């Protein structure tokens, strides 16, 4: 909308630029969120872990008038896609073409506003990935080695781990996978299986050597480690991102295989390597610049411009080493001036009720399910962001979801905005009174402005540091200050009829605070922000450094009130839990596990209230042991060593459960 003359000039948010390029001498921010695998519907844990968190920061940049480009897309190559396509009886391309629009629609509904949401199956991906590969090859950073793999003569293909089944060498379970035994939990190599069989046709594969190319990360470690030491401090990385990355350097970087015997992927561009493709975790991060190349032909101005551009990346903790070790090493190895990661924001895991999200078992709520509930996007965004697992795992609970809507959104922000707008509609015929005739500011007015500005400063600082949950909390605290202000000044018929000048002052102050809230809420709840602006008959505004009461000018006419939020019936908790598999019991297990009587390993329990010192110490041990296990798995360590460390982790979780039991007696 055009800005009315009765709105302060220069505060309206400019229209979104559809052709962004870095502006020399200005602050330019490049934002990416981890590329979601195309082969399934994203669940809420996937969404909060990367795409939604990145969207908040991108919107914050926009509301602060910072030039920012937000890039994401589906990761479409690799074994996971081939496996799903075979299972569904379609080609890999058909599978990708089916799920890409599903992903896109889920994110659009959740109001995640990418500048470009693309795909990795593009000509741009092939060209850029192959160019990077060839530069590494020319600089003697690739090593050729033979790998012993299982080969199915009937399929005429080498079999990836997930294409092999057989008998576990540790427990003799006859349905173990090529990478792990579901019965005893041991991590395996496919060549270790007894009586292996091809999952595709049931035939017995044979062991056969295959030549592969490895990236010599050891040669690149000094440069990559030096970059990490500088970037992790300047970019204020999440603590788990630093811990995970340091553990890789401490162990020493090893050769990393970057090729696979697959048909679905970016081809290796060397003679004699026909039939080989890039390993997905070499290929996938290159999707960031390649998707940018589908947005603008001048993509190098974003990706090869470290002087003018800062790169912010968002992901779950399981993706960290690929973005902080392998991808930066790859780019450093080209000897080109790439825009390397500046700020890393990672999350822990979001659990669902009593267990994990599982599409196959119908447990949890996914991107397409949220639309079925009738609950608007702003409520979903608020709950996920206020519950963002920034330093520890968090739980999605329907009871908590309903309570936060009713007791926080509705009772705090919704009440404040609705009460003021309705009052101005009714008593002032929707006209904003004049400051000139209003009463002089009192201590109540000055205290409000002072406290709002203190929290506004903290909000901006938290947002700049990508402390998303803290920034949202501060926005809600500012809204709560508005409710206290209304109570202190007893805004009602008596104030209007008997103390009109004082009422004018309160109304002007409250309306301007509501307008500020529209900007504070924009990164988190854009529809709510737009509703507030619509009710105020004002454009969506930029976020200022300081709160003043002169943004909405005298004589401005506001629109009619509309509800920002609606109460959710507490009875819906049981309805949704029954529908989405959160019935307070352990998630249903598959038939094979039921036959064995096996149960899933429990998640670490959560202590309510102030934690005793012994709980804090044990939780720290669990976190450190968890990092150790994940690092060993990511490094493809000896399976026996990984199994030992997993058992140690389970033992620590059991100790914590026992400790909780003692403390709550």
């Amino acid at each position: 909308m055009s800005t009315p003359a009765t709105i302060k000039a220069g505060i309206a948010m400019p229209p979104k630029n559809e052709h962004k390029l870095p502006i020399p001498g200005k602050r330019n921010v490049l934002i990416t969120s981890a590329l979601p695998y195309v082969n399934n519907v994203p669940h809420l844990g996937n969404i909060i872990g990367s795409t939604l968190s990145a969207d908040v920061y991108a919107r914050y940049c926009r509301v602060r008038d910072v030039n920012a480009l937000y890039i994401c897309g589906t990761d479409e190559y690799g074994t996971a896609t081939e496996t799903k396509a075979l299972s569904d009886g379609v080609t890999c391309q058909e599978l990708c073409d089916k799920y890409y629009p599903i992903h896109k629609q889920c994110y659009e509904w959740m109001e995640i506003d990418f500048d470009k949401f693309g795909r990795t199956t593009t000509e741009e991906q092939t060209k850029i990935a192959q160019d990077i590969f060839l530069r590494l090859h020319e600089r003697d950073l690739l090593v050729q080695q033979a790998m012993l793999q299982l080969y199915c003569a009937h399929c005429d293909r080498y079999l990836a781990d997930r294409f092999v089944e057989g008998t576990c060498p540790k427990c003799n379970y006859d349905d173990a996978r090529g990478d792990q035994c579901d019965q005893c939990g041991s991590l395996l190599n496919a060549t270790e299986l007894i009586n292996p069989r091809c999952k595709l046709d049931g035939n017995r594969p044979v062991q056969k050597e295959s030549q592969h190319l490895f990236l010599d990360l050891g040669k690149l470690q000094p440069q990559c480690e030096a970059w990490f030491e500088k970037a992790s401090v300047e970019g204020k990385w999440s603590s788990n991102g630093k811990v995970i990355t340091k553990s890789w350097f401490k162990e020493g970087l090893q050769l990393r295989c970057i090729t696979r015997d697959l048909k679905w992927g970016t081809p290796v561009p060397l003679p004699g390597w026909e039939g080989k493709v890039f390993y997905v975790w070499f290929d996938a991060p290159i999707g960031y610049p390649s998707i940018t190349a589908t947005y603008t032909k001048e993509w190098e101005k974003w990706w090869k411009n470290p002087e003018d551009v800062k790169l912010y990346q968002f992901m779950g903790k399981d993706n960290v080493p690929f973005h902080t070790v392998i991808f930066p090493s790859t780019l450093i190895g080209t000897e080109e001036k790439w825009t390397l990661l500046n700020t890393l924001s990672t999350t822990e895991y979001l659990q669902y009720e009593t267990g994990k999200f599982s599409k196959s078992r119908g447990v949890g709520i996914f991107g397409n399910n949220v639309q079925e509930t009738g609950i608007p996007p702003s409520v979903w965004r608020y709950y996920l962001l206020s519950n963002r697992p920034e330093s520890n795992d968090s739980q999605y609970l329907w009871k908590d979801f309903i309570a936060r809507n009713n007791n926080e959104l509705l009772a705090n922000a919704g009440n404040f905005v609705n009460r003021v707008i309705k009052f101005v509609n009714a008593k002032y015929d929707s006209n904003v009174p004049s400051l000139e005739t209003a009463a002089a500011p009192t201590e109540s007015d000055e205290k409000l402005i002072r406290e709002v500005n203190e929290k506004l400063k903290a909000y901006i600082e938290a947002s700049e540091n990508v402390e998303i949950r803290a920034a949202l909390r501060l926005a809600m605290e500012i809204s709560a200050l508005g409710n206290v202000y209304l109570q202190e000044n007893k805004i009602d018929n008596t104030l209007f009829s008997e103390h009109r000048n004082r009422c004018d002052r309160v109304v002007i102050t409250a309306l301007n605070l509501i307008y500020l809230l529209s900007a504070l809420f924009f990164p988190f709840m854009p529809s709510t922000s737009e509703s507030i602006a619509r009710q105020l008959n004002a454009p969506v505004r930029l976020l200022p450094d300081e709160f003043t009461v002169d943004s909405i000018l005298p004589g401005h006419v506001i629109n009619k009130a509309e509800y920002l939020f609606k109460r959710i019936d507490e009875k819906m908790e049981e309805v949704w839990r029954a529908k989405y598999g959160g019935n307070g019991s352990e998630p249903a297990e598959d038939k094979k596990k039921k036959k064995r009587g096996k149960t899933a390993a429990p998640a670490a329990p959560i202590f309510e209230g102030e934690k005793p010192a012994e709980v804090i110490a044990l939780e720290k041990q669990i976190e450190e042991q968890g990092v150790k296990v994940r690092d060993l798995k990511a490094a493809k360590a000896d399976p026996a060593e990984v199994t030992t460390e997993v058992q140690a982790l389970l033992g620590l979780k059991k100790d914590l459960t026992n400790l909780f039991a003692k403390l709550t007696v």
Side-chain angles (χ1 to χ4, degrees), residues 38-57:
V38 75
N39 63 345
N40 219 325
V41 180
H43 60 64
L44 295 185
N46 304 138
I47 291 170
I48 185 58
S50 56
T51 51
L52 178 55
S53 296
D55 182 65
V56 170
Y57 190 71

Side-chain angles (χ1 to χ4, degrees), residues 408-423:
E408 297 176 15
L409 289 177
L410 183 61
N412 179 354
N415 177 70
F416 175 56
V417 173
N418 192 254
R419 186 176 175 186
V420 173
I421 299 290
K422 277 190 170 180
F423 188 82

Side-chain angles (χ1 to χ4, degrees), residues 511-530:
L511 284 173
N512 277 279
L513 181 55
I514 288 172
Y515 201 18
L516 176 70
L517 282 174
S518 72
L520 292 168
F521 287 156
F522 180 78
F524 305 98
M525 300 177 285
S527 284
T528 298
S529 175
E530 290 164 5

Side-chain angles (χ1 to χ4, degrees), residues 149-157 159 163-167 190-208:
Q149 295 177 239
L150 290 179
Y151 176 81
C152 179
H154 188 269
C155 294
D156 189 22
R157 66 190 297 166
L159 300 177
F163 287 147
V164 185
E165 295 175 336
T167 301
T191 52
E192 296 178 288
L193 290 176
I194 301 168
N195 298 321
R197 60 185 178 273
C198 174
K199 188 177 179 180
L200 305 178
D201 57 27
N203 287 300
R204 184 185 179 105
V206 296
Q207 292 191 12
K208 188 176 178 181

